């Protein structure tokens, strides 16, 4: 991303310089028709240089008003373009009369800006080219971000399949269902088969690049946790704390999956007495906060990643969190946060902050 902005800045300086060089060449060709003196070349060079110099502040001013309302931005651009055109016109006329020494020196300073409307069109053309190129670059950046998000989403889907839909997970689930059948708990077994079917359908057919309502993501989380509940029985406790009125908030599909998987593996399965997993969702200003916490034995945290072995920095939990963070970065740029902290009194807590987008 940084390289993209660096390349864009380099492109600006190149196009900016070439544009004013082209202006100088056009004026030089025009002077050949009028058979002007050689000193006029100095005037042309100074005019182009001053134009090159005086339009640089416009770039930084336009960057500040880029996100303003359209009507306010248009008015600001017109005013700034007219002001720059007036200054540029005064400098050009000064060069023409004082350096080229053509004709009598004007006695009234107002005559130095008499050609401002003509210069206004030139500066306005520069502004139009600037905004046109910037909008094009912004569109290219959005396309790049979309492609990156698509790639990360499919990687997340593959990792989810790798972690969840592996033979070990299916074996344990089907074995639990088989046990229910053997003890004549056919109703419970049918319910678990139905949940497994729904979970597989959601994970396989839900396009992870599309954002879904939070209630759908929580539905998938409950399906998975209910399946794991069969395996761990009373060893697994589940707590949902969902703030009302945010069920329709848009979130990346399957974004909670790797976090819940890590909690199951390291907080529940690793303890004889099991553990508790708490999933929280609440509004914080204009943001949505998601939290997955457990009361397991906890892990060392290195560079924001949990390590079940300090030397093993490539643990599966670390891979899952890195993948989640990269996917959030592709979808929200820098407007997100993923924070890993120690839970109290024991365990880990993963917090995700993303912009709140309601339907």
């Amino acid at each position: 991303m940084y390289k993209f902005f660096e390349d864009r800045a380099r492109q600006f300086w190149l196009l900016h310089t070439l544009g004013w060089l082209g202006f100088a060449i056009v004026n030089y060709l025009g002077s050949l028709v009028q058979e002007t003196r050689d000193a006029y070349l100095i005037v042309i060079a100074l005019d182009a240089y001053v134009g090159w110099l005086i339009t640089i502040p416009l770039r930084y001013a336009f960057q500040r008003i880029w996100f303003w309302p359209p009507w306010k931005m248009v008015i600001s651009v017109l005013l700034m373009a007219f002001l720059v055109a007036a200054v540029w016109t005064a400098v050009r006329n000064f060069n023409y009369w004082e350096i080229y020494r053509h004709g009598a020196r004007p006695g009234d300073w107002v005559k130095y800006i008499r050609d401002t409307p003509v210069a206004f069109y030139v500066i306005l053309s520069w502004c139009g080219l600037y905004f046109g190129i910037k909008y094009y670059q912004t569109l290219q950046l959005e396309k790049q971000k979309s492609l990156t998000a698509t790639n990360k989403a499919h990687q997340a889907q593959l990792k989810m399949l790798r972690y969840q839909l592996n033979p070990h997970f299916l074996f344990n689930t089907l074995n639990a269902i088989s046990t229910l059948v053997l003890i004549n708990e056919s109703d419970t077994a049918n319910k678990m088969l139905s949940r497994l079917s729904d979970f597989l359908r959601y994970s396989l057919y839900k396009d992870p690049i599309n954002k879904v309502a939070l209630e759908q993501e929580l539905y998938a989380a409950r399906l998975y946790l209910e399946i794991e509940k069969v395996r761990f029985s009373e060893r697994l406790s589940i707590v949902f704390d969902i703030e009302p009125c945010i069920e329709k908030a848009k979130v990346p599909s399957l974004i909670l999956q790797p976090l819940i998987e890590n909690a199951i593996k390291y907080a529940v399965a690793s303890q004889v007495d099991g553990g508790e997993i708490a999933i929280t969702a609440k509004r914080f200003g204009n943001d949505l906060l998601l939290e997955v916490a457990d009361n397991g034995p906890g892990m060392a945290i290195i560079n924001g990643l949990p390590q079940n072995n300090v030397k093993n920095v490539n643990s599966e939990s670390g891979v899952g969190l890195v993948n989640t963070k990269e996917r959030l970065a592709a979808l929200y740029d820098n407007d997100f946060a993923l924070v890993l902290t120690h839970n109290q009194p024991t365990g880990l807590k993963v917090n995700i902050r993303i912009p709140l987008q309601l339907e």
Side-chain angles (χ1 to χ4, degrees), residues 165-181:
L165 309 182
N166 53 52
H168 184 263
F169 163 73
L170 292 176
F171 172 79
N172 288 334
T173 303
L174 294 175
N175 185 61
I177 294 174
S178 176
T179 301
L180 290 173
V181 173

Side-chain angles (χ1 to χ4, degrees), residues 220-359:
R222 286 188 174 94
L223 285 174
Y224 171 68
L225 288 170
E226 287 174 359
I227 293 172
E228 293 290 3
K229 185 75 173 177
V230 176
R231 290 178 53 199
F232 297 102
S233 188
E234 300 301 323
R235 293 174 57 203
L236 173 60
S237 299
I238 306 167
V239 177
F240 281 91
D241 183 11
I242 311 301
E243 185 176 301
C245 303
I246 62 169
E247 291 85 356
K248 301 298 182 181
K250 292 293 186 179
V251 299
S253 64
L254 304 174
I255 199 65
L256 294 176
Q257 201 62 34
L259 309 182
I260 298 175
E261 291 167 358
N262 289 341
I264 290 289
K265 182 174 182 179
Y266 296 106
V268 179
S270 63
Q271 297 187 104
V272 176
D273 297 331
E276 178 183 275
I277 296 177
I279 300 175
T280 304
K282 60 183 178 180
R283 181 172 186 166
F284 184 76
N286 294 324
D287 295 329
L288 174 66
L289 298 181
L290 302 174
E291 179 183 287
V292 177
D294 63 69
N295 62 346
M299 301 178 187
I301 300 177
I302 301 178
N303 296 327
L305 297 178
Q307 309 297 326
N308 54 339
N309 184 331
V310 174
K311 296 182 180 180
N312 182 18
V313 295
N314 294 318
S315 64
E316 290 184 3
S317 58
V319 171
L321 284 171
V322 168
N323 183 271
T324 300
K325 187 172 184 179
E326 290 178 350
R327 187 180 174 198
L328 290 171
L331 289 170
Y332 299 104
D333 201 4
N334 294 321
D335 194 12
F336 80 96
L338 190 152
V339 180
L340 182 68
T341 58
H342 294 289
N343 198 13
Q344 297 299 330
T346 61
L348 289 176
K349 184 189 300 181
V350 182
N351 288 279
I352 294 178
R353 178 193 58 80
I354 58 176
L356 180 63
Q357 300 175 345
L358 297 173
E359 290 184 343

